[in-house]
Structure formats: C-alpha cells, structure tokens
Amino acid sequence: MPRDLTQREILTELEPIAGQALDRHLSVFKDWHPHDYIPWDEGRNFAMLGGDDWDPSQSKLSEVAKAALITNLLTEDNLPSYHREIAENFSQDGAWGSWVGRWTAEENRHSIAIRDYLVVTRGVDPVALENDRMIHMTNGFAPLPEQAPGADHSGFLFSVAYVSFQELATRISHRNTAKICDDPIAERMLQRIALDENLHMIFYRAMCGAALELVPDQAIDAIDLIVENFRMPGTGMPNFRRHGVLMAKHGVYDLRQHLEEVLMPVIRQWNIFGRNDFGPRGEQARERLAAFLTDLEQVKIPRFEEQRDRALARERARV
C-alpha cells in the first residue's frame, strides 16, 4: 500500500499545475475598480461633520436585502482570517505564493465595494455594521468546526477542498442578492463580484482535482469531511442565524441551492462517483459522501422546504 504524501510533497508535485492555473486566471481576469460602482453623488456627511446620522427611513433596501448585504459584506470583511488559512496551508513561495497574494488582493475589492455602497446610500446602520465587523474579525473563522470528526486534520487538502465549494457558494449568494436589491447599481456591483468568485472557484477546483489525481484516497477523505461539515464563512458573525433564515426563506441561499448549484456541480467535475482509482480507504470515504448526499436530498431538503413554505404562508396570511 503506498504511503500518504506529506503536505510539502503534495505542494511540490502540484506547483507546476498551480503555475498554469494562475497564468490561466490572469489571462481571463478583467480588471475593475470598486469606486466605479458607487453612486457617490448620493453621499453626504454624518453628524460628526455637521450632517445627519443614519436613520432607518433613509434605507431603500428590503429587510431581506439588508440581511443578505450585511452577511455578504461581513463575510468578505473577514479576509484576514481566510488569508491566514490559505497562506499557512498552501505556501508563500513560488506559484503558490503568487496565487495567495493575487487572490487576497482581488478578494479585498469585494468588501471595499460593498461597504462603500452601503455607507454612501445609507442602506444599513453604519455603526451597527462596524460593531459587527469588529466582533466577526476578532473571532475569525475556521472551515471545520471543532467538534467535526477528524477536525484535528489540517493542511492543503482540507483547505483546497473547502474553498472549491465555498467560492462557488459565495458566488451564488452574491448573484442572488443582486436580484433582490431592487437597485441596478447594487445589481451590477454584486454581479461583478460574483464573476471574481467564479474565477477563484475555478482555480481551487482545478487544484483539488489535480490532488485527486495525485493522492486520490487522501483527497476524497478531505472532500468528504468538508462536505459533511460544510459551513458558510459567515458562520459565527452576529445575527448570522437570523439573517441566514431570511436569506434561505427568500431564495438567496438555501439547502437545495447548496446541493444542486454548489456541491453536485463540483463533485461531477471531479467525477467522484465515476472514478476507479480509490483504494479501500477512498472507497469508504466515497460511500460516506454518497450516503450524506442522499440524506440531504431525500430527508433534509424536503424537511427544510416544508418548514419554509409553512413560514411563508404564515407571513402572507399576516399581510
């Protein structure tokens, strides 16, 4: 039985592929500037500079749009936490280091744009937003909860499996938030951010796919653990559960989207259920993954949708 490769060995073997993926990313990426997406002529001073502080009547956003934009922004705000995770588990040398730096710089644009938009348009309370940012960034984020089986495992395979799904999930969230803002400026901004997230997903998906070719049993082990314990990067932020329920109820991001638009497209791309290169350990991980996906589709999603439909019916009755 072949031995497991170390993280250093995996990174060394995959670095040429990372270089190719980075070159491909740079060749298709279209540069953009956050300031171009902000309606600056709507801005005015707050009380400290002689203007008026925020009041709820100033916002043109629905409660769902507010929840989604706050969640998306605080998620993007926590970039230092994600950077640490990627930098520690990839490498800061060679093609890996170039990617980590480039990805971090591109991601930083997202929080700049969304925050400027919300402050200038007075879409949400800027004081509450800043207080929540302080809490969320101080707490940080880890892809695996402490209680997850095998959560003591860390390293490249777990990180690259997580971001392959997470970047796509974030893209879906931004895209669907764009649809509910009822503002063409916000829609254009969020669609542009979603394009970045898609390109980031393509890089990570390619690297995790290459890892599956190199160390199939180790890689499917990591993929299964991440899928079964997946949590959005906003987990733990203030009001995350309340905002997440609102977003799920109104089609911004829910369990069916998670399965059908995030998990399954990536799993199909890697041909997880058509491969014949797994050993006994890999086969066991694939069986666990299949059982989890079946339970999600046949039990958890129908249960969620039934509860959601009842809640929406109650809301309509009250109106």
Side-chain angles (χ1 to χ4, degrees):
M1 179 182 296
R3 69 174 179 85
D4 284 356
L5 295 188
T6 65
Q7 172 156 312
R8 180 177 293 277
E9 289 170 334
I10 293 171
L11 289 169
T12 300
E13 289 288 335
L14 295 183
E15 184 170 10
I17 302 173
Q20 295 167 9
L22 173 59
D23 289 342
R24 184 169 61 247
H25 174 83
L26 294 175
S27 72
V28 299
F29 184 88
K30 290 183 172 56
D31 215 13
W32 64 283
H33 304 97
H35 67 262
D36 286 329
Y37 290 81
I38 310 303
W40 297 105
D41 57 354
E42 294 184 24
R44 62 187 190 275
N45 289 345
F46 290 91
M48 182 176 173
L49 296 181
D52 298 314
D53 277 340
W54 185 83
D55 182 88
S57 64
Q58 297 165 355
S59 177
K60 302 174 184 176
L61 298 170
S62 69
E63 290 305 306
V64 180
K66 287 179 188 175
L69 281 164
I70 289 170
T71 300
N72 289 358
L73 172 56
L74 293 181
T75 296
E76 300 289 356
D77 265 332
N78 214 13
L79 177 61
S81 185
Y82 318 140
H83 172 83
R84 287 194 300 270
E85 181 78 18
I86 293 294
E88 289 173 0
N89 291 317
F90 283 43
S91 169
Q92 297 185 53
D93 300 320
W96 293 117
S98 297
W99 168 257
V100 170
R102 175 74 190 196
W103 170 82
T104 303
E106 289 179 7
E107 284 285 342
N108 196 37
R109 286 174 170 160
H110 304 169
S111 59
I112 292 171
I114 301 173
R115 179 174 297 281
D116 283 350
Y117 170 82
L118 287 175
V119 172
V120 167
T121 64
R122 298 191 174 226
V124 302
D125 181 350
V127 175
L129 189 65
E130 176 63 9
N131 291 340
D132 289 351
R133 185 190 70 86
M134 290 294 292
I135 293 170
H136 191 45
M137 289 186 68
T138 300
N139 291 340
F141 176 78
L144 287 170
E146 291 183 4
Q147 68 272 24
D152 57 318
H153 295 309
S154 61
F156 169 75
L157 292 175
F158 295 93
S159 285
V160 79
Y162 176 76
V163 288
S164 296
F165 296 112
Q166 174 266 316
E167 292 281 2
L168 184 51
T170 307
R171 171 204 163 195
I172 300 296
S173 181
H174 284 309
R175 184 197 69 188
N176 290 337
T177 300
K179 297 176 183 177
I180 63 166
C181 285
D182 196 25
D183 178 4
I185 294 175
E187 186 171 0
R188 285 182 62 193
M189 174 188 68
L190 291 166
Q191 286 175 343
R192 185 61 194 77
I193 291 171
L195 285 175
D196 280 8
E197 304 290 14
N198 196 56
L199 288 177
H200 298 163
M201 178 275 294
I202 289 171
F203 177 93
Y204 291 126
R205 186 183 67 188
M207 297 317 305
C208 196
L212 270 164
E213 298 293 332
L214 178 66
V215 284
D217 282 10
Q218 288 176 257
I220 187 62
D221 239 356
I223 290 167
D224 170 59
L225 185 65
I226 290 296
V227 170
E228 291 201 46
N229 295 279
F230 185 85
R231 53 185 190 164
M232 292 293 278
T235 302
M237 70 173 59
N239 301 309
F240 178 74
R241 179 170 175 76
R242 183 171 67 83
H243 288 172
V245 168
L246 263 179
M247 293 165 70
K249 280 169 58 178
H250 295 276
V252 178
Y253 196 88
D254 61 29
L255 268 182
R256 185 170 296 280
Q257 290 165 326
H258 183 62
L259 175 65
E260 296 181 355
E261 300 183 41
V262 176
L263 297 182
M264 292 313 300
V266 176
I267 287 170
R268 282 193 293 268
Q269 181 73 25
W270 292 331
N271 192 28
I272 292 294
F273 295 111
R275 306 178 71 93
N276 59 8
D277 54 353
F278 292 132
R281 170 184 165 193
E283 288 292 352
Q284 289 176 358
R286 177 160 60 180
E287 288 173 7
R288 291 194 302 270
L289 178 61
F292 175 83
L293 294 172
T294 298
D295 181 65
L296 193 59
E297 180 178 26
Q298 297 181 4
V299 179
K300 290 187 172 65
I301 290 175
R303 183 186 300 150
F304 158 75
E305 291 179 337
E306 182 181 339
Q307 293 171 344
R308 178 200 61 195
D309 292 345
R310 285 202 302 266
L312 289 172
R314 287 194 299 269
E315 286 182 12
R316 287 192 296 268
R318 284 197 297 269
V319 172

